[in-house]
Amino acid sequence: MSSQRSTTTDAAWRRLHEAATAPYKKAGNFAWHFARGKLGRDPVFRGLVERGLIGESHQRVVDIGCGQGLFASLLSAMAAMQSRAGHWPSAWPMTPAAADYTGIELMPKDVARAENSIGHLQPAPRFVCADMCTAAMPACDLVVILDVLHYVDHAAQEGVLRRVHGALQPGGRLLLRVGDMASRRGFAISQWVDRTVTRIRGHRVSPTWGRPLTDWMALLQGIGFSVRSMPMSEGTPFANVLLVADRREPA
Ligand SMILES: C[S@@+](CC[C@H](N)C(=O)[O-])C[C@H]1O[C@@H](n2cnc3c(N)ncnc32)[C@H](O)[C@@H]1O
């Protein structure tokens, strides 16, 4: 990447960061600082944008374990930036102009923070307070599951992934970030951090269920996805991997 291009994209990312996190101010300090820290430090969000993994045509988006809906806010900030001539870096692929977003989240407090912060956006994001293992899965083009599946056991993980596959329409994509259990040190660190954050947020701390990367890939392929993986924990001590799983079309 030339330094000219990276300066332009760095500046654009700073503006996106500001625009996507500002709405959380009105939900209080915790919501705002959490949004700023997460979007600023977790490489997955900028990685999705820069690598063009969201896809302009993936209009109907389901975000499972959406927390306070940061991805919805980012989608909206990106659409706004793209609508203003000369603001979107030419190096970045386009994202949906008006995403139809549904977030599914177990914790009522997170759903309340999401609604209080970004419920006013247009098109309005929908937030469903439900367990992903049983929640209705609307027909969609893109499903995002970032750091969520390890909260349920292996059978439940497979159940969610099968229902996601069933909900995805032709050309649909699942973006799934998981920890690679084969990278023992990074996986152990992320489990420790996860449990600590869960406790601080006042949630019941449950055991977590991981798999080695090869098992995740085999599971997705068996369900009917074409899968590629990319490391997605740059700048962090974790062993996180992003799986880009495209719904395989019948031959
Ligand atoms: C580590 S956070 C990730 C949040 C968000 N995906 C992100 O990357 O910013 C995991 C989220 O999954 C939610 N979650 C855990 N188990 C769930 C379930 N069974 N159904 C729906 N959401 C769940 C948690 O409440 C939490 O908000």
Side-chain angles (χ1 to χ4, degrees):
M1 192 185 286
S2 74
S3 63
Q4 171 79 43
R5 177 185 284 188
S6 91
T7 306
T8 312
T9 52
D10 282 351
W13 180 252
R14 279 195 296 276
R15 284 196 298 274
L16 266 184
H17 180 274
E18 186 56 36
T21 57
Y24 290 94
K25 275 182 199 168
K26 60 176 172 294
N29 267 339
F30 175 84
W32 184 50
H33 287 294
F34 185 82
R36 289 188 68 80
K38 181 84 178 163
L39 199 60
R41 288 194 210 100
D42 188 331
V44 72
F45 298 103
R46 185 167 172 174
L48 294 181
V49 178
E50 296 203 314
R51 295 174 200 219
L53 297 173
I54 296 168
E56 190 176 4
S57 63
H58 290 149
Q59 204 81 15
R60 293 163 296 177
V61 178
V62 176
D63 184 2
I64 297 180
C66 64
Q68 59 181 19
L70 198 48
F71 188 61
S73 192
L74 180 61
L75 283 171
S76 175
M78 291 192 293
M81 191 183 265
Q82 286 164 28
S83 71
R84 291 196 290 274
H87 283 245
W88 188 251
S90 56
W92 287 357
M94 300 290 272
T95 59
D100 173 354
Y101 173 97
T102 304
I104 299 173
E105 168 57 49
L106 187 63
M107 304 307 296
K109 274 190 190 162
D110 290 76
V111 172
R113 273 202 304 276
E115 283 169 342
N116 292 339
S117 313
I118 58 167
H120 65 283
L121 295 176
Q122 285 302 324
R126 271 181 304 279
F127 293 98
V128 180
C129 188
D131 186 336
M132 64 182 165
C133 301
T134 49
M137 213 63 85
C140 52
D141 309 302
L142 181 71
V143 174
V144 181
I145 311 180
L146 303 176
D147 312 335
V148 182
L149 273 193
H150 59 287
Y151 288 106
V152 297
D153 66 29
H154 285 173
Q157 290 172 357
E158 181 169 344
V160 171
L161 292 174
R162 286 192 183 282
R163 286 169 46 253
V164 164
H165 185 264
L168 280 170
Q169 300 303 294
R173 167 172 291 176
L174 162 66
L175 295 170
L176 172 66
R177 188 166 71 171
V178 292
D180 177 7
M181 208 169 120
S183 297
R184 284 168 178 268
R185 192 178 141 76
F187 188 75
I189 294 173
S190 54
Q191 281 211 312
W192 181 82
V193 170
D194 236 0
R195 289 194 182 124
T196 306
V197 172
T198 306
R199 197 172 293 119
I200 290 169
R201 290 169 79 196
H203 302 170
R204 193 169 53 86
V205 179
S206 312
T208 56
W209 288 268
R211 302 173 191 257
L213 176 58
T214 47
D215 288 9
W216 281 114
M217 295 193 64
L219 174 63
L220 288 164
Q221 280 155 356
I223 290 173
F225 289 101
S226 302
V227 194
R228 61 200 156 104
S229 71
M230 45 190 82
M232 199 50 84
S233 49
E234 195 187 342
T236 73
F238 310 133
N240 287 337
V241 179
L242 183 74
L243 297 168
V244 181
D246 290 320
R247 180 186 185 273
R248 248 190 345 256
E249 304 309 330

